[in-house]
Amino acid sequence: MRTIYALIGILALAGCIVYMAPAALLAAALGEDGPARLAHTRGTIWNGVAAVEYHDQPLGSLSWQFDAGGLRQAEAKFDWRLAASGHDLSGTARLGLDGLHCNAAGLVRGAFLRRILAPYWIEAGGNIGIDSITAHLAHDLRPRNVVGELSWEGGEVRYRLAGEHHRMVLPPLSGMLETVGAAPALTVLGAGIEAPLLHIRLGPDGWLDIGVTKMLTKMAGFPWPGNEPDHAIVIDVSERLI
């Protein structure tokens, strides 16, 4: 009988240790070699907060809370939120043997969008809605498959070209996110417009490739010469993002 009580006590102690395990263990598990890191962790691995960096770029404060319901499928399930001055996202995540599955919704605020576009002398207002994103990531948070939908309410866009200021009014835009060649790719469409306007791809090397279609040059009032169809990419721009 003493052996049984001792065994129960050991199991209870082990359970308490696991339950109270600090969130810093998650940061240690990610290590320093992958693209993502956690810093300034607080709380436990079940209910905690940490600052997130991806390729040395700060992404904001990540908070999470354990959901015991996932244990029935041998998975760790969490509710999470990632917030910063420029964005606010939340969703659920399931951590299993094959990696991390998560979904997200939220918004990217207009102030963040303006900071991104400012170096290119482009001004656009309004928030970008993250209607839905579903992602499958490896254990080191490298993306394996990403799909989703984004939206922008439309409005006036101001830009400078050849030293002169211009403006155009864009309709509401939607973005279809998918994985192409192991890299996230976004196709931007305009309401009531048959041809896509932009093709955006983030490569594993951190380079962001933006393809502008002939249709967008026509909408901007500078139609691209030639016989290419409206959906053809006529301008390519690459920028080191991360």
Side-chain angles (χ1 to χ4, degrees):
M1 184 64 68
R2 290 181 178 177
T3 302
I4 294 177
Y5 286 151
L7 180 59
I8 293 175
I10 292 172
L11 292 176
L13 178 61
C16 289
I17 292 174
V18 171
Y19 182 77
M20 298 300 293
L25 291 180
L26 293 178
L30 279 178
E32 298 291 330
D33 297 329
R37 287 199 295 270
L38 300 179
H40 309 298
T41 55
R42 304 192 307 274
T44 69
I45 61 174
W46 313 108
N47 192 344
V49 179
V52 184
E53 294 183 357
Y54 191 77
H55 286 287
D56 298 323
Q57 299 294 319
L59 296 184
S61 176
L62 175 68
S63 59
W64 65 89
Q65 186 172 10
F66 178 66
D67 182 353
L71 295 177
R72 292 191 295 269
Q73 290 79 37
E75 295 177 326
K77 185 177 179 182
F78 297 86
D79 297 318
W80 62 270
R81 181 186 180 193
L82 178 64
S85 60
H87 55 266
D88 193 343
L89 304 173
S90 61
T92 61
R94 296 182 292 106
L95 180 62
L97 296 177
D98 63 339
L100 179 67
H101 298 261
C102 62
N103 61 71
L107 60 84
V108 176
R109 297 186 178 91
F112 179 79
L113 179 62
R114 287 191 292 273
R115 288 199 302 270
I116 294 295
L117 297 177
Y120 308 100
W121 301 100
I122 301 174
E123 297 181 16
N127 300 325
I128 296 177
I130 310 297
D131 301 328
S132 67
I133 291 181
T134 302
H136 177 202
L137 312 175
H139 288 100
D140 63 358
L141 300 188
R142 298 181 189 274
R144 291 179 175 173
N145 186 55
V146 181
V147 296
E149 297 181 9
L150 290 73
S151 61
W152 179 64
E153 60 189 13
E156 184 180 73
V157 177
R158 298 177 181 270
Y159 60 98
R160 194 169 78 175
L161 182 65
E164 297 184 2
H165 293 275
H166 304 273
R167 63 178 294 275
M168 64 176 173
V169 178
L170 290 175
L173 303 182
S174 61
M176 307 303 295
L177 183 65
E178 59 183 343
T179 303
V180 178
L186 179 69
T187 300
V188 179
L189 306 167
I193 301 173
E194 296 183 0
L197 305 181
L198 293 168
H199 294 278
I200 304 172
R201 180 179 181 272
L202 178 61
D205 55 359
W207 280 88
L208 186 69
D209 298 320
I210 303 175
V212 179
T213 68
K214 185 176 180 179
M215 173 58 76
L216 185 56
T217 68
K218 292 168 65 175
M219 295 176 63
F222 299 94
W224 189 265
N227 298 321
E228 295 89 347
D230 287 343
H231 65 266
I233 296 175
V234 294
I235 301 174
D236 277 308
V237 179
S238 294
E239 177 79 13
R240 186 63 180 264
L241 184 64
I242 52 179

